[in-house]
Amino acid sequence: MRMLLVAAMGASTLAHAAPPDVEAYARAERVLDYNLRGKVLNATVWPQWLADGRFWYRRQEKDGASYVLVDPAKASRGALFDAKRLARALGDARGKVAIDVESVASDADGVLRIRVRGADGRARDCRLPTYACRVVVALARDPKALASPDGTRAIVVRDDNLWLREAGVDGERALTRDGEPSYGYGVLPDFSLRGIPWRAGRMVVPPIAAHWSPDGARVFGVRYDERKVEAYPYLATAPEGSFRPIVHTVRLGLLGDAEQVRDSWYVIDVASATTRTIAVPEGWSTLTEAGLLGWSADAHKAYAAIVRYDRPARLRLVEIDVRDGTLRTVREESSDTRVQLNDFTYNRPAVRILQKSAQAIWWTDHGGWGHLHLVDLADGRTLHSVTSGDWLVRDLVGVDEARREVFFTAGGKEPGDPYQRRLYRVPLDGGEPVLLTPEAADHAIDGGAGMFGGWRASTLLSPAMDLVVDSFSTVDEPPVTVLRSTRDGRIVMPLERADAGAVLAAGWKAPTRERVKAADGTTDVWATLYLPPGDMSGRRIPIVDGMYGGPHIINAPIGFVDATAAMNPVSKSSLAELGFAVVVIDGRGTPGRSKAFHDASFLTASDVQLEDHVAAIRELAARYPQLDLERVGIYGHSFGGYSSTRALLRHPGFFKVGVSSAGSHSFEGMYGGAIHGMDRLVGGRPVYADGSAIRPTPDAVPDLFRPLGNIALVDRLAGKLMLVYGDLDENAMPAPTLHLVSAFTKANKDVDLLYLANQDHELFRNDAYFTRRLWDYFVQHLMGATPPAYRIAPPPGR
């Protein structure tokens, strides 16, 4: 419920609230994001389906975990096993050993076979209800391994090559032998922006951009060649354990560099350990986040997407014959702005290869909204639109090829908040979508994760496609998880009601969702508003805008878990506890709406969004008269660091105080290129004065990108600004921040600079010192108060 305010009280009669004291800081710390993350128990259910239609899942308990077995046919839910009895069967006489279930299978007679791992690492299969257990031959669990479809083999990276492990076989067998540094197989490339922790062994990931064929006979993947990319140094000025600075070097191409990452496909025949290299067409690159889109029915052909960012940008669906390496273009699309296969760049592509009919379900926003189309793989023709209308298809959740039905989530089709996801079923060959989730809430039903999420497959739909596990919530109502019929949306049975007790006990208070107008006076934009606790009447409340501004994600929380502990920006609830009204706004230029809404950020970066933020905050202040428009601050990290600084420079009369961490303040100093460059998100391929895409001189800036840099606006700074950077940040390198500091110095402008030694891009989530300095800065410069002496405890494990 929205907090009621005394609107009749005139703004001039309101007084500033008392500044926060030590107790207020303690309350703010209790609701800090990293202290609440994971504290909403059983917010989601990840079902593991059995052959007989039942499923099991791992349930969070306050003191560990339990396992639940669900029988949809009987609408029953109970313990998967007797924990004490199973523990005794595993050799623990007291029946107290912790049990970690690896997999569950059901026999034809309904008997369950549970695979668990003992402390010795050996796998054991236990049959229920007899609880008879035996040691079985199985691959060791290894987060660095990518298992084959049948689970009997796995590939790992060693010395830049791929090696094969097989259950019951000692040792490993080399599948490739020609891998080398900066040109390996399955190696995490430096453009992943994790090169330093990868080299130090702090990152554990399975082989990157590698995929098994459905029959397990081949491995198909992308190989990245960074050998010619120029070295980029990072200087750890104050490394732990040494008085001498340490230089870390990664391969990183900047905007306009002549040498960028090159890529090619490879196919490995596992039996013979032979490798075929398949060239990506000259001038094109693989669409990194798309990966492998699918296989033909006989596993002889793989489908992928390639792109080039000319004007216009172009995207192709290509068919790759893995037997001889031949390539065929199935379909090509172009756009004057961006080409994507999901409105949210990091989500799994909303594309599916239909093996039985040799067709594809294809996502495109060419009609002005992102929708699904049926495409003939033989010639690339669009057979017809599967969905249409002034609303957005979000994720492709599943396809029932037998029934010729598609399951997808969408936003904006129903009245109300367009960011709330709903699940629909639609006939593949024509018909209207059927709403399966009628509750006005965000239904967290995804289509799995793409490359940046480890290619996790979605298991929320049952194998028969007749049931779906649905977890839904709002910013003020904890998640409820139910089992639904996909025929009519009927709730078959409840599964979980999330336990938010720990979050509420910490003092967390729910925000509100607000609909306001954009700067154009017509377009609806949505915001999430965190208000200070207690009675606000008679108080003047300073405002803090928590901004990101990037064109690839949204940031205003829609569901309960994200409202308690967001990915970016953080500290919203904490700042509210300190007496600020904190608002997060998804203005024009962010995804999740129409193509025109999204394209507003192309070649404008966050400028249009900032105009919307100003308009939205003004409207909110009219709605909540206690909000003080004379005291508005802003903060952000990464693209938000760029955007928050830009807010003070473009709107100096409105934004008075800013904290900008890890900002991408000049795109010419950021990573470039078609594979993972900032240019593809912000403005497309750079064009210099000579018409080339290659930087002619070390300090050349493309005309299209010149207006987007913050350096050109330093003379306009009027407020208080703190710039923050970590010296090992590969996502937003220190150089753009320090170039901006140099420009402020030359302009004789005062800024505060916070340097964090040995910190990477995660500083805004894990650095307690930075968090305290962020709070102090707004208390001191926006409230005009003296912060109390306080020390925030670091997150667990730091």
Side-chain angles (χ1 to χ4, degrees), residues 104-387:
V104 181
S106 59
D107 295 339
D109 57 0
V111 173
L112 295 182
R113 185 174 69 255
I114 299 177
R115 178 162 296 178
V116 296
R117 292 275 176 180
D120 57 3
R122 292 191 298 174
R124 291 171 172 82
D125 279 0
C126 300
R127 293 175 64 85
L128 302 183
T130 63
Y131 288 87
C133 298
R134 64 184 180 89
V135 176
V136 295
V137 175
L139 286 171
R141 296 172 72 175
D142 186 351
K144 294 184 290 187
L146 180 65
S148 62
D150 64 3
T152 63
R153 295 177 292 176
I155 54 173
V156 294
V157 176
R158 186 151 53 83
D159 299 328
D160 299 301
N161 284 291
L162 290 177
W163 292 70
L164 181 72
R165 293 177 180 170
E166 298 183 80
V169 177
D170 292 334
E172 300 171 343
R173 176 164 63 92
L175 292 180
T176 66
R177 297 184 182 278
D178 61 331
E180 59 179 285
S182 299
Y183 190 38
Y185 293 88
V187 172
L188 190 73
D190 283 355
F191 74 75
S192 69
L193 311 179
R194 294 293 185 272
I196 296 173
W198 165 262
R199 286 171 174 78
R202 298 196 303 272
M203 286 199 67
V204 177
V205 294
I208 297 296
H211 308 267
W212 285 90
S213 62
D215 57 7
R218 298 181 178 93
V219 173
F220 174 88
V222 181
R223 189 179 181 192
Y224 298 104
D225 186 354
E226 298 181 305
R227 291 174 297 177
K228 293 184 179 180
V229 177
E230 192 170 348
Y232 193 100
Y234 284 84
L235 181 64
T237 308
E240 296 180 2
S242 173
F243 296 109
R244 185 180 298 276
I246 295 174
V247 177
H248 299 270
T249 302
V250 298
R251 300 281 178 178
L252 191 63
L254 301 186
L255 183 74
D257 276 2
E259 292 292 345
Q260 300 285 1
V261 185
R262 300 173 186 268
D263 54 359
S264 59
W265 294 293
Y266 64 85
V267 180
I268 301 172
D269 182 275
V270 176
S272 63
T274 56
T275 302
R276 177 188 299 277
T277 297
I278 305 170
V280 175
E282 184 66 27
W284 294 75
S285 302
T286 55
L287 183 61
T288 309
E289 64 269 18
L292 177 68
L293 294 174
W295 293 88
S296 61
D298 57 10
H300 291 162
K301 296 172 182 176
Y303 295 88
I306 59 176
V307 293
R308 58 184 300 158
Y309 295 102
D310 304 315
R311 289 301 192 95
R314 289 185 283 166
L315 180 148
R316 285 179 181 171
L317 170 64
V318 294
E319 178 186 84
I320 306 157
D321 193 314
V322 297
R323 297 167 300 179
D324 59 16
T326 56
L327 193 71
R328 180 175 70 88
T329 296
V330 176
R331 179 185 182 88
E332 180 174 316
E333 293 188 356
S334 62
S335 171
D336 289 332
T337 54
R338 306 179 181 96
V339 284
Q340 300 182 188
L341 293 178
N342 190 306
D343 205 49
F344 292 79
T345 304
Y346 296 150
N347 284 23
R348 197 182 187 101
V351 173
R352 189 65 53 89
I353 303 300
L354 306 180
Q355 296 179 345
K356 294 180 180 178
S357 59
Q359 297 170 329
I361 300 172
W362 184 256
W363 186 96
T364 180
D365 59 6
H366 266 198
W369 293 83
H371 279 291
L372 304 177
H373 301 265
L374 186 64
V375 171
D376 190 327
L377 288 176
D379 55 18
R381 287 182 302 119
T382 297
L383 300 175
H384 60 262
S385 298
V386 178
T387 62

Side-chain angles (χ1 to χ4, degrees), residues 650-730:
R650 284 185 58 85
H651 303 275
F654 188 80
F655 294 103
K656 306 300 193 332
V657 180
V659 177
S660 301
S661 53
S664 50
H665 299 291
S666 54
F667 294 108
E668 58 271 18
M670 297 292 291
Y671 33 89
I675 290 181
H676 196 234
M678 290 285 286
D679 39 331
R680 54 171 290 201
L681 293 174
V682 176
R685 183 172 177 263
V687 180
Y688 292 88
D690 61 358
S692 139
I694 299 174
R695 189 174 57 252
T697 60
D699 61 349
V701 181
D703 287 342
L704 291 175
F705 287 82
R706 191 181 304 277
L708 304 182
N710 283 337
I711 289 177
L713 303 177
V714 293
D715 285 331
R716 303 190 62 184
L717 181 66
K720 294 292 297 184
L721 174 64
M722 180 166 73
L723 299 170
V724 185
Y725 76 99
D727 57 6
L728 299 183
D729 188 339
E730 295 175 69

Side-chain angles (χ1 to χ4, degrees), residues 762-781:
E762 293 299 299
L763 67 90
F764 75 119
R765 293 193 187 103
N766 63 29
D767 197 299
Y769 179 75
F770 162 70
T771 300
R772 196 264 297 169
R773 290 291 302 272
L774 168 76
W775 298 358
D776 286 355
Y777 206 77
F778 284 124
V779 168
Q780 181 178 359
H781 298 293

Side-chain angles (χ1 to χ4, degrees), residues 526-569:
W526 289 76
T528 302
L529 177 64
Y530 293 73
L531 293 170
D535 183 7
M536 287 174 48
S537 60
R539 299 161 58 189
R540 295 290 287 157
I541 309 298
I543 306 164
V544 174
D545 184 354
M547 187 173 186
Y548 180 69
H552 43 298
I553 57 175
I554 56 176
N555 287 96
I558 311 153
F560 189 86
V561 173
D562 195 38
T564 63
M567 293 300 291
N568 188 11

